[in-house]
Amino acid sequence: MRAAKAVIPAAGLATRFLPATKAVPKELLPVVDRPVLQYIVEEAASAGINDILLVTGRGKTSMIDHFDRRPDLEARLEEKGDLDRLEAVRRPGELAEIFACRQGEPLGLGHAVSVGQSHVGDEPFVVMLGDEFMDEDSPLLPAMLDLQAATGGIVLAFIEVPTELVSRYGIASVAPATDVPADLAAEHEIVRVTGLVEKPPVDQAPSNLAVVGRYVLPATIFDAIRRTGPGSGGEIQLTDAMATLLAEGTPVHGVVFRGVRYDTGTPAGYLEAVVELACKRPDVGPTFRRWLVDFVDKDLRG
């Protein structure tokens, strides 16, 4: 069975972005004129995922509102003949079915995923973290979904990170993947995962392959999370639950991603995403790039 549902954990406080996120969820911060969360839902929809569960917290109902209809605004835009903006306003509500549940306490990513069990049921599903997304020209999810459907296990997304940064990520030890369909192995860089450790010290990291915010999981992960105690940071870590399933024989594979990934989880990463995507836009890109070149030139000249 190919996964058809996604869970997006989005209950965090986003303290790195305060005071902006005191009243506005980080997931709704705009990247040019679309919020981060919309890019993520668009990524899911492009991969055939049309059922999205948002795991939210206090003060985050506006995330659901963004994907609702606004008949008053739509009518006003239609009266003005502003059809481009009318289409843009309608688009979020047409991407997928959006559901929501609440995470009562911020007890870690594993716990956040677990509260989606009643919605997911016994089917495989996708977990997409709410502060990163892949460029539409370099999709990752379709390959991950195909691989999980073929193996029935866990499929992770990996990027290579500098050795000095491994302590910020879940890190995998890997071996060649000799047990996956030949067509997938020919098209994608796939590895077999032999071990997982959350945020290891630099001198204890088994590799520099870091788990990033895309997972395709079997429903057995929920039982593993229930059996997982607090780990790194005193939280219930999804990495630890996945390591439990790996030790019990569940196949775990990873797709090494070498496309373009936007990480908006920090102010610097968010600003980089805004600049990169603004430069790519055909409407604002040419003017913005000229301004940016002039600005950098003046800055370099002092």
Side-chain angles (χ1 to χ4, degrees):
M1 181 182 297
R2 197 174 193 265
K5 297 180 180 180
V7 174
I8 302 178
L13 297 176
T15 54
R16 289 174 175 172
F17 287 85
L18 288 172
T21 50
K22 179 181 177 182
V24 178
K26 177 182 68 173
E27 295 79 7
L28 292 186
L29 294 178
V31 178
V32 189
D33 56 4
R34 280 182 282 168
V36 172
L37 185 59
Q38 183 173 330
Y39 284 93
I40 295 168
V41 173
E42 287 173 346
E43 181 185 339
S46 294
I49 303 292
N50 57 13
D51 183 315
I52 310 285
L53 177 69
L54 303 178
V55 180
T56 69
R58 184 180 300 276
K60 291 205 163 188
T61 55
S62 55
M63 291 191 299
I64 304 160
D65 293 340
H66 178 73
F67 295 94
D68 205 351
R69 294 291 299 271
R70 275 289 304 273
D72 57 334
L73 180 56
E74 292 173 22
R76 179 61 176 153
L77 291 171
E78 194 163 12
E79 288 171 8
K80 293 172 60 179
D82 195 344
L83 300 185
D84 289 341
R85 285 193 176 88
L86 176 62
E87 181 182 357
V89 166
R90 285 177 172 167
R91 178 169 169 75
E94 298 169 347
L95 290 170
E97 291 188 89
I98 306 295
F99 303 90
C101 65
R102 294 285 287 268
Q103 182 186 18
E105 297 179 74
L107 299 178
L109 178 57
H111 179 262
V113 170
S114 73
V115 302
Q117 181 175 7
S118 61
H119 184 83
V120 170
D122 296 326
E123 303 173 13
F125 65 103
V126 178
V127 173
M128 306 176 74
L129 299 192
D131 54 13
E132 60 183 87
F133 57 94
M134 311 307 174
D135 191 276
E136 62 184 4
D137 294 331
S138 52
L140 172 65
L141 269 184
M144 295 181 68
L145 292 167
D146 290 343
L147 182 57
Q148 199 281 332
T151 64
I154 294 170
V155 176
L156 306 174
F158 291 141
I159 61 170
E160 289 188 323
V161 298
T163 302
E164 62 271 18
L165 299 183
V166 294
S167 61
R168 301 181 185 181
Y169 296 88
I171 300 294
S173 54
V174 301
T178 58
D179 55 345
V180 301
D183 58 335
L184 287 173
E187 294 180 18
H188 306 281
E189 189 173 347
I190 298 172
V191 294
R192 180 172 61 86
V193 178
T194 59
L196 290 166
V197 58
E198 182 68 22
K199 299 178 180 177
V202 171
D203 60 348
Q204 297 178 26
S207 75
N208 70 333
L209 287 178
V211 182
V212 291
R214 298 294 179 268
Y215 313 76
V216 190
L217 304 171
T220 50
I221 193 68
F222 295 119
D223 177 65
I225 292 171
R226 280 192 292 272
R227 294 185 280 128
T228 300
S232 176
E235 298 180 334
I236 299 173
Q237 298 290 349
L238 182 61
T239 300
D240 294 339
M242 293 190 298
T244 296
L245 290 185
L246 173 63
E248 294 172 351
T250 297
V252 182
H253 295 86
V255 179
V256 181
F257 182 63
R258 301 195 184 280
V260 179
R261 166 179 168 265
Y262 301 104
D263 183 358
T264 65
T266 65
Y270 169 74
L271 291 172
E272 289 171 6
V274 172
V275 171
E276 288 188 37
L277 286 168
C279 287
K280 291 177 65 173
R281 285 275 294 263
D283 52 349
V284 300
T287 301
F288 180 69
R289 283 196 299 270
R290 285 194 297 271
W291 173 87
L292 187 61
V293 169
D294 289 342
F295 174 79
V296 172
D297 183 58
K298 291 176 182 176
D299 185 64
L300 291 174
R301 285 183 289 151

